């Protein structure tokens, strides 16, 4: 398809972006004109409420995609519209295109969901720690999340506890209890009691680096699952 429209060179050096707005609205024509002016050799594809952009990295503007996008967003005052740009990996082979799209889509959806660590307007799977996860089948991610966090999820759903959010915030704050309590707006002792119960339910020791790594990985999977499931509903 690229060859038919005179962009066969893109195959050897390209990058996929997925753009969306937190308000769920359409990207303005002014913004789209600015995008075309910034990346004159790019291919646009609309997918529902998202805009997929394939950028030729060897064309003008392509050598500094993130910087050029930051300039465009600032120039067009896009922060007020809540525009999120998901960036995929650089494509060197044909197989990279699907992976770049998966990563860009996942980064965009996680950013739009407002998940912790996704406050910025331009995000990549690498920024979010989900590189390598974005291309996995959603069902596989869901199964892994349930296998690891099942007891916490069940407790949250049946008893109204907040164990998953607690462990997410705790690890994001490097297990610092006062900072976690402040972020969750609960008492210090509440967090401490939750941590004890979480370790019991999961059979883990949060002082063990391997247990923390496993939990941090599955929490990133959970962020992808939540974002993509919300998008597909």
């Amino acid at each position: 398809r690229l060859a038919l429209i005179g962009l066969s060179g893109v195959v050897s050096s390209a990058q996929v972006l997925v753009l969306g707005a937190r308000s769920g609205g359409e990207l303005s024509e002014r913004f789209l004109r600015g995008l075309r002016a910034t990346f004159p050799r790019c291919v646009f594809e609309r997918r529902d409420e998202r805009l997929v952009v394939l950028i030729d990295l060897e064309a003008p503007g392509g050598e500094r995609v993130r910087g050029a996008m930051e300039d465009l967003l600032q120039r067009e005052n896009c922060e007020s519209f809540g525009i999120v740009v998901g960036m995929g990996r650089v494509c060197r082979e044909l197989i990279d295109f699907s992976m770049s799209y998966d990563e860009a889509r996942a980064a965009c959806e996680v950013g739009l969901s407002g998940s912790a660590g996704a406050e910025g307007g331009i995000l990549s799977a690498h920024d979010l720690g989900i590189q390598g996860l974005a291309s996995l089948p959603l069902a596989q991610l869901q199964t892994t999340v349930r296998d690891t966090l099942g007891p916490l999820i069940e407790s949250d759903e049946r008893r109204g506890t907040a164990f998953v959010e607690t462990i997410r915030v705790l690890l994001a704050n490097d297990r610092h209890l006062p900072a976690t309590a402040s972020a969750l707006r609960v008492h210090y002792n509440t967090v401490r009691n939750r941590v004890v119960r979480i370790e019991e339910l999961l059979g883990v020791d949060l002082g063990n680096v391997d247990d923390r790594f496993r939990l941090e990985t599955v929490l990133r999977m959970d962020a992808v699952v939540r974002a993509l499931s919300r998008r597909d509903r």
Side-chain angles (χ1 to χ4, degrees), residues 150-178:
L152 305 188
I153 295 172
E154 182 178 354
S155 178
D156 287 354
E157 291 176 346
R158 292 189 177 184
R159 299 178 177 84
T161 54
F163 289 150
V164 173
E165 184 62 14
T166 298
I167 191 65
R168 190 193 315 278
V169 175
L170 179 76
L171 293 177
N173 283 283
D174 198 24
R175 296 181 295 145
H176 190 259
L177 296 183

Side-chain angles (χ1 to χ4, degrees), residues 7-194:
L7 293 175
S8 57
V10 172
V11 172
S12 62
S13 184
Q15 191 167 18
V16 178
L17 307 182
V18 175
L19 290 77
R22 285 196 173 94
S23 62
E26 292 284 336
L27 300 173
S28 70
E29 284 300 322
R30 175 179 170 177
F31 174 77
L32 295 179
R33 287 195 298 270
L35 189 60
R36 291 189 181 95
T38 302
F39 304 108
R41 281 175 59 85
C42 64
V43 179
F44 285 14
E45 172 87 12
R46 287 192 179 275
R47 293 203 172 186
D48 299 322
E49 296 174 353
R50 306 290 178 257
L51 180 68
V52 181
V53 185
L54 179 62
I55 295 176
D56 182 350
L57 297 181
E58 296 181 357
E63 68 278 0
R64 50 181 298 271
V65 174
R66 185 184 284 266
M69 282 302 309
E70 288 174 348
D71 292 344
L72 175 61
L73 292 175
Q74 185 175 18
R75 187 168 65 248
E76 299 297 331
N77 191 29
C78 292
E79 185 175 345
S80 60
F81 298 102
I83 292 178
V84 173
V85 181
M87 298 182 63
R89 67 179 61 194
V90 173
C91 305
R92 302 296 184 190
E93 305 288 342
L94 282 174
I95 194 173
D96 294 332
F97 281 78
S98 62
M99 298 177 72
S100 186
Y101 168 73
D102 287 341
E103 289 179 353
R105 176 176 179 248
C108 179
E109 299 304 333
V110 171
L112 290 171
S113 73
S115 298
E119 293 82 6
I122 302 177
L123 300 163
S124 70
H126 183 270
D127 296 331
L128 298 170
I130 59 173
Q131 199 167 18
L133 302 178
S135 293
L136 293 176
L138 185 58
Q140 182 177 338
L141 292 174
Q142 290 171 325
T143 298
T144 303
V145 170
R146 278 281 177 180
D147 285 348
T148 306
L149 300 179
L152 305 188
I153 295 172
E154 182 178 354
S155 178
D156 287 354
E157 291 176 346
R158 292 189 177 184
R159 299 178 177 84
T161 54
F163 289 150
V164 173
E165 184 62 14
T166 298
I167 191 65
R168 190 193 315 278
V169 175
L170 179 76
L171 293 177
N173 283 283
D174 198 24
R175 296 181 295 145
H176 190 259
L177 296 183
T180 302
S182 177
L184 294 173
R185 298 182 179 180
V186 298
H187 194 273
Y188 172 92
N189 287 335
T190 299
V191 174
R192 186 174 60 180
N193 293 336
R194 287 181 186 176

